[in-house]
PDB file of all heavy atoms in Angstrom:
ATOM      1  N   ARG B  67     -19.749   7.360   4.443  1.00 96.00           N
ATOM      2  CA  ARG B  67     -19.536   8.566   3.631  1.00 96.00           C
ATOM      3  C   ARG B  67     -18.535   8.290   2.501  1.00 96.00           C
ATOM      4  O   ARG B  67     -18.493   9.035   1.508  1.00 96.00           O
ATOM      5  CB  ARG B  67     -18.975   9.689   4.511  1.00 96.00           C
ATOM      6  CG  ARG B  67     -19.856  10.066   5.674  1.00 96.00           C
ATOM      7  CD  ARG B  67     -19.305  11.244   6.475  1.00 96.00           C
ATOM      8  NE  ARG B  67     -18.128  10.926   7.269  1.00 96.00           N
ATOM      9  CZ  ARG B  67     -16.897  11.262   6.924  1.00 96.00           C
ATOM     10  NH1 ARG B  67     -16.672  11.923   5.792  1.00 96.00           N
ATOM     11  NH2 ARG B  67     -15.878  10.962   7.703  1.00 96.00           N
ATOM     12  N   PHE B  68     -17.737   7.239   2.683  1.00 98.00           N
ATOM     13  CA  PHE B  68     -16.742   6.867   1.687  1.00 98.00           C
ATOM     14  C   PHE B  68     -17.341   5.792   0.770  1.00 98.00           C
ATOM     15  O   PHE B  68     -17.823   4.761   1.245  1.00 98.00           O
ATOM     16  CB  PHE B  68     -15.482   6.320   2.360  1.00 98.00           C
ATOM     17  CG  PHE B  68     -14.717   7.343   3.142  1.00 98.00           C
ATOM     18  CD1 PHE B  68     -15.043   7.607   4.470  1.00 98.00           C
ATOM     19  CD2 PHE B  68     -13.674   8.065   2.562  1.00 98.00           C
ATOM     20  CE1 PHE B  68     -14.335   8.556   5.197  1.00 98.00           C
ATOM     21  CE2 PHE B  68     -12.971   9.013   3.286  1.00 98.00           C
ATOM     22  CZ  PHE B  68     -13.304   9.258   4.606  1.00 98.00           C
ATOM     23  N   SER B  69     -17.257   6.034  -0.538  1.00 97.00           N
ATOM     24  CA  SER B  69     -17.764   5.043  -1.475  1.00 97.00           C
ATOM     25  C   SER B  69     -16.857   4.979  -2.692  1.00 97.00           C
ATOM     26  O   SER B  69     -16.242   5.982  -3.083  1.00 97.00           O
ATOM     27  CB  SER B  69     -19.204   5.358  -1.902  1.00 97.00           C
ATOM     28  OG  SER B  69     -19.265   6.593  -2.570  1.00 97.00           O
ATOM     29  N   GLY B  70     -16.772   3.793  -3.265  1.00 97.00           N
ATOM     30  CA  GLY B  70     -15.964   3.594  -4.452  1.00 97.00           C
ATOM     31  C   GLY B  70     -16.818   3.091  -5.593  1.00 97.00           C
ATOM     32  O   GLY B  70     -17.812   2.388  -5.387  1.00 97.00           O
ATOM     33  N   SER B  71     -16.405   3.446  -6.794  1.00 96.00           N
ATOM     34  CA  SER B  71     -17.135   3.010  -7.983  1.00 96.00           C
ATOM     35  C   SER B  71     -16.163   2.877  -9.139  1.00 96.00           C
ATOM     36  O   SER B  71     -14.986   3.243  -9.042  1.00 96.00           O
ATOM     37  CB  SER B  71     -18.252   3.997  -8.332  1.00 96.00           C
ATOM     38  OG  SER B  71     -17.710   5.268  -8.643  1.00 96.00           O
ATOM     39  N   GLY B  72     -16.692   2.333 -10.243  1.00 94.00           N
ATOM     40  CA  GLY B  72     -15.896   2.206 -11.456  1.00 94.00           C
ATOM     41  C   GLY B  72     -15.591   0.774 -11.805  1.00 94.00           C
ATOM     42  O   GLY B  72     -15.802  -0.150 -11.015  1.00 94.00           O
ATOM     43  N   SER B  73     -15.081   0.592 -13.022  1.00 90.00           N
ATOM     44  CA  SER B  73     -14.746  -0.736 -13.507  1.00 90.00           C
ATOM     45  C   SER B  73     -13.813  -0.629 -14.685  1.00 90.00           C
ATOM     46  O   SER B  73     -13.769   0.420 -15.350  1.00 90.00           O
ATOM     47  CB  SER B  73     -16.028  -1.482 -13.915  1.00 90.00           C
ATOM     48  OG  SER B  73     -15.732  -2.794 -14.341  1.00 90.00           O
ATOM     49  N   GLY B  74     -13.061  -1.709 -14.924  1.00 87.00           N
ATOM     50  CA  GLY B  74     -12.173  -1.710 -16.083  1.00 87.00           C
ATOM     51  C   GLY B  74     -10.920  -0.898 -15.851  1.00 87.00           C
ATOM     52  O   GLY B  74      -9.938  -1.415 -15.310  1.00 87.00           O
ATOM     53  N   THR B  75     -10.946   0.348 -16.288  1.00 95.00           N
ATOM     54  CA  THR B  75      -9.781   1.211 -16.132  1.00 95.00           C
ATOM     55  C   THR B  75     -10.076   2.536 -15.431  1.00 95.00           C
ATOM     56  O   THR B  75      -9.143   3.296 -15.156  1.00 95.00           O
ATOM     57  CB  THR B  75      -9.133   1.533 -17.497  1.00 95.00           C
ATOM     58  OG1 THR B  75     -10.092   2.226 -18.306  1.00 95.00           O
ATOM     59  CG2 THR B  75      -8.683   0.263 -18.215  1.00 95.00           C
ATOM     60  N   ASP B  76     -11.323   2.837 -15.150  1.00 96.00           N
ATOM     61  CA  ASP B  76     -11.679   4.131 -14.557  1.00 96.00           C
ATOM     62  C   ASP B  76     -12.430   3.943 -13.248  1.00 96.00           C
ATOM     63  O   ASP B  76     -13.473   3.266 -13.216  1.00 96.00           O
ATOM     64  CB  ASP B  76     -12.513   4.944 -15.539  1.00 96.00           C
ATOM     65  CG  ASP B  76     -11.706   5.397 -16.737  1.00 96.00           C
ATOM     66  OD1 ASP B  76     -10.967   6.383 -16.604  1.00 96.00           O
ATOM     67  OD2 ASP B  76     -11.800   4.744 -17.796  1.00 96.00           O
ATOM     68  N   PHE B  77     -11.899   4.581 -12.208  1.00 97.00           N
ATOM     69  CA  PHE B  77     -12.429   4.381 -10.868  1.00 97.00           C
ATOM     70  C   PHE B  77     -12.554   5.722 -10.144  1.00 97.00           C
ATOM     71  O   PHE B  77     -11.850   6.680 -10.470  1.00 97.00           O
ATOM     72  CB  PHE B  77     -11.508   3.442 -10.081  1.00 97.00           C
ATOM     73  CG  PHE B  77     -11.319   2.120 -10.765  1.00 97.00           C
ATOM     74  CD1 PHE B  77     -10.280   1.929 -11.662  1.00 97.00           C
ATOM     75  CD2 PHE B  77     -12.210   1.084 -10.554  1.00 97.00           C
ATOM     76  CE1 PHE B  77     -10.125   0.727 -12.330  1.00 97.00           C
ATOM     77  CE2 PHE B  77     -12.065  -0.125 -11.209  1.00 97.00           C
ATOM     78  CZ  PHE B  77     -11.020  -0.299 -12.105  1.00 97.00           C
ATOM     79  N   THR B  78     -13.456   5.748  -9.172  1.00 98.00           N
ATOM     80  CA  THR B  78     -13.719   6.981  -8.439  1.00 98.00           C
ATOM     81  C   THR B  78     -13.897   6.693  -6.955  1.00 98.00           C
ATOM     82  O   THR B  78     -14.556   5.716  -6.577  1.00 98.00           O
ATOM     83  CB  THR B  78     -14.996   7.665  -8.965  1.00 98.00           C
ATOM     84  OG1 THR B  78     -14.817   7.986 -10.346  1.00 98.00           O
ATOM     85  CG2 THR B  78     -15.288   8.951  -8.204  1.00 98.00           C
TER      86      THR B  78
END
Side-chain angles (χ1 to χ4, degrees):
Chain B
R67 301 184 288 103
F68 292 87
S69 62
S71 62
S73 182
T75 61
D76 291 281
F77 303 91
T78 299

